[in-house]
């Protein structure tokens, strides 16, 4: 791997303001070509691209101090342990967690949610107990609860959505009369972009005696997240969607909950003392980090959090809000036949724009766009029940990140014009 030397935070040249064109220089992949065209990456909701500081952090780990953590009493082992724990502290600071030990490293958001479903869920959800979810959940915040409900004979209830993709909080209020054990919902929808009223919903759930898990996979990369201000009990997210390496994710939970929860996976690292017939477990968070973790990914995750904090999450949100407004306006005015879904006001949504070209399958749309170097996702985006609710077989989706610019939206519009040249002008 060739890695060019780059300034690292806090010396980044945009420190005083947010310039996405300067930010783009930090992402080497954005200067590559695909099918002879410059890459237009509009699939950041699946996974984000990585800045040089993250690539370098991973590269330096493997080149200079690769060693297991919490084991070796030798210099590079101590260095890797320190870097791993420093990354945890940085990620904790990024979400304003009160204590770095409340952050458990996982492979992704899916593992973080499964950890809670297996460990907390199997202890606390009993026959007839309700868990409330929403109709807009990603499968990662749906299937673990289905398995739990089947195993424990629990009950799943769902907050419905309006046709433009907002949660029906009036129905939530009624569902809370069931006295659920847990309410689990996404902070930002990966399909519609809807930004949910997480603090208000948490307060409502707590007033009914329920704990709250928030799936923050699509929130942490795009909006300022303060877990203390939100007040939730569990907050799950992915590092790889917030500019970190694949294999990085985290669960934040309140200390007393983590301390009371039994281990999720068992083996090395998560124990204090092992006898042939029983063991004592390690303190949090290591009790939940069995085996050798993805050390390089965690260190890269910390570098990504540091990078985003230097950009400033308020500025990141403002940039993406402005770009989403531009996308919604120009897509609707330039391509009047295009079907757009989700809340139509950028204040209510993150940088996720789902669409359909009437009469053309989204897979065909994505394939034609790819010829022009434009990467969008097509399919059900792991939200099959949401697509069913909206009576859609599939959608295409453009999604943004810090490095996305108006020219990406313009390229998408030109690409969609090529789609209709091939398949014929649709009528709405
Ligand atoms: N929740 C949401 C809202 C998501 O968008 C995703 C990823 N698409 C996930 C959970 C799962 O994330 P991961 O693949 O990192 O486990």
């Amino acid at each position: 791997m060739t890695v060019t030397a780059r300034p690292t935070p806090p010396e980044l040249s945009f420190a005083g303001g947010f310039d996405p064109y300067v930010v783009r220089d930090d992402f080497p992949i954005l200067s590559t070509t695909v099918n002879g065209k410059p890459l237009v990456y509009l699939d950041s909701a699946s996974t984000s691209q990585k800045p040089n500081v993250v690539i370098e952090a991973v590269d330096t780990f493997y080149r200079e101090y690769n060693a297991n953590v919490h084991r070796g009493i030798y210099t590079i082992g101590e260095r890797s342990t320190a870097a791993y724990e420093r990354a945890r502290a940085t990620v904790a600071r990024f979400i304003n967690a009160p204590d770095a030990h409340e952050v458990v490293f996982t492979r992704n958001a899916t593992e973080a949610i499964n950890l809670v479903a297996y460990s907390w869920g199997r202890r606390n959800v009993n026959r007839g107990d309700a868990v409330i979810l929403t109709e807009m959940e990603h499968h990662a915040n749906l299937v673990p609860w289905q398995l739990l409900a089947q195993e424990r004979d629990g009950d799943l209830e769902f907050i419905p959505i309006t046709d433009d993709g907002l949660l029906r909080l009036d129905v939530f209020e009624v569902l809370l009369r069931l006295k659920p054990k847990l309410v689990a919902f996404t902070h930002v929808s990966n399909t519609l972009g809807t930004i949910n009223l997480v603090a208000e919903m948490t307060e409502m759930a707590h007033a009914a005696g329920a704990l709250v898990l928030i799936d923050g996979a699509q929130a942490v990369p795009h909006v300022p997240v303060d877990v203390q201000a939100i007040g939730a009990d569990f907050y799950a997210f992915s590092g790889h969607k917030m500019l970190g390496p694949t294999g990085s994710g985290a669960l934040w939970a309140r200390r007393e909950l983590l301390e009371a929860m039994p281990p999720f996976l068992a083996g090395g690292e998560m124990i204090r003392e092992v006898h042939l017939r029983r063991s004592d477990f390690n303190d949090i968070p290591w009790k939940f980090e069995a085996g050798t973790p993805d050390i390089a990914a965690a260190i890269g995750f910390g570098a990504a959090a540091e990078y985003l904090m230097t950009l400033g999450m308020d500025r990141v949100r403002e940039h993406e809000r402005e770009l989403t407004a531009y996308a919604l306006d120009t897509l609707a005015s330039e391509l009047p036949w295009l079907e757009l879904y989700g809340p139509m006001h950028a204040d209510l949504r993150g940088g996720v724009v789902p669409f359909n070209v009437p009469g053309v399958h989204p897979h065909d749309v994505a394939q034609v766009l790819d010829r022009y170097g434009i990467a969008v996702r097509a399919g059900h985006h792991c939200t099959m029940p949401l697509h069913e609710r909206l009576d859609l077989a599939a959608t295409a989706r453009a999604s943004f990140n810090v490095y996305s610019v108006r020219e990406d939206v313009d390229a998408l519009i030109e690409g969609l014009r090529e789609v209709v040249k091939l398949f014929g002008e649709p009528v709405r």
Side-chain angles (χ1 to χ4, degrees), residues 113 133-138 141 167 183-191 194-198 201 213-219 235-236 383:
I113 296 168
L133 309 171
T134 84
E135 285 182 343
M136 66 167 71
E137 292 318 304
H138 186 281
N141 197 29
L167 288 178
V183 182
F185 50 89
T186 192
H187 191 156
V188 175
S189 162
N190 68 308
T191 301
T194 316
I195 301 177
N196 291 318
L197 299 171
V198 284
M201 290 176 68
L213 176 142
I214 296 177
D215 172 356
Q218 298 293 346
Y235 197 96
T383 52

Side-chain angles (χ1 to χ4, degrees), residues 2-8 11-14 18-32 39 49-56 243 307 311 319 401-405 408:
T2 337
V3 179
T4 44
R6 290 272 166 173
T8 50
E11 300 111 43
L12 293 167
S13 44
F14 48 75
F18 186 98
D19 181 345
Y21 299 95
V22 176
V23 168
R24 287 174 71 82
D25 283 344
D26 288 329
F27 292 79
I29 201 170
L30 297 179
S31 48
T32 58
L39 170 65
Q49 297 303 344
K50 320 303 174 197
N52 282 308
V53 283
V54 169
I55 298 169
E56 281 167 13
L243 316 181
Y307 180 86
L311 287 185
H319 163 65
N401 209 307
V402 292
Y403 41 73
S404 305
V405 287
D408 295 335

Side-chain angles (χ1 to χ4, degrees), residues 352-367:
V352 173
V353 181
F355 60 89
N356 264 321
V357 178
V360 187
H361 194 283
H363 284 168
D364 294 330
V365 172
Q367 221 156 37

Side-chain angles (χ1 to χ4, degrees), residues 99-173:
D99 176 353
H101 291 170
E102 294 179 345
V103 172
V104 178
F105 280 134
T106 59
R107 279 183 303 138
N108 45 40
T110 303
E111 187 178 307
I113 296 168
N114 274 274
L115 192 165
V116 179
Y118 278 84
S119 173
W120 179 88
R122 275 158 184 73
R123 273 278 169 95
N124 292 284
V125 173
N126 298 308
R127 175 185 287 253
D129 283 345
V131 171
I132 297 183
L133 309 171
T134 84
E135 285 182 343
M136 66 167 71
E137 292 318 304
H138 186 281
H139 299 165
N141 197 29
L142 181 59
V143 185
W145 307 113
Q146 290 174 350
L147 294 180
L148 177 72
Q150 282 159 17
E151 194 183 310
R152 308 290 300 169
D153 213 6
D155 170 32
L156 298 185
E157 298 292 337
F158 299 90
I159 307 173
I161 59 163
T162 61
D163 288 341
D164 56 355
L166 299 174
L167 288 178
R168 291 275 313 269
L169 296 189
D170 54 332
V171 181
F172 181 37
E173 186 91 61

Side-chain angles (χ1 to χ4, degrees), residues 223-280:
V223 297
V225 169
D226 178 336
V227 290
Q228 296 188 67
I230 295 169
D233 303 287
F234 302 102
Y235 197 96
F237 55 109
S238 320
H240 69 92
K241 292 182 200 284
M242 51 167 274
L243 316 181
T246 48
S248 65
L251 171 72
W252 169 82
R254 288 193 290 110
R255 170 178 275 279
E256 59 273 27
L257 287 168
L258 287 176
E259 281 176 345
M261 281 158 56
F264 169 41
L265 299 171
E269 180 70 13
M270 49 74 70
I271 44 78
R272 180 173 299 128
E273 222 176 78
V274 176
H275 306 278
L276 280 180
R277 294 193 188 278
R278 61 161 199 88
S279 306
D280 292 332

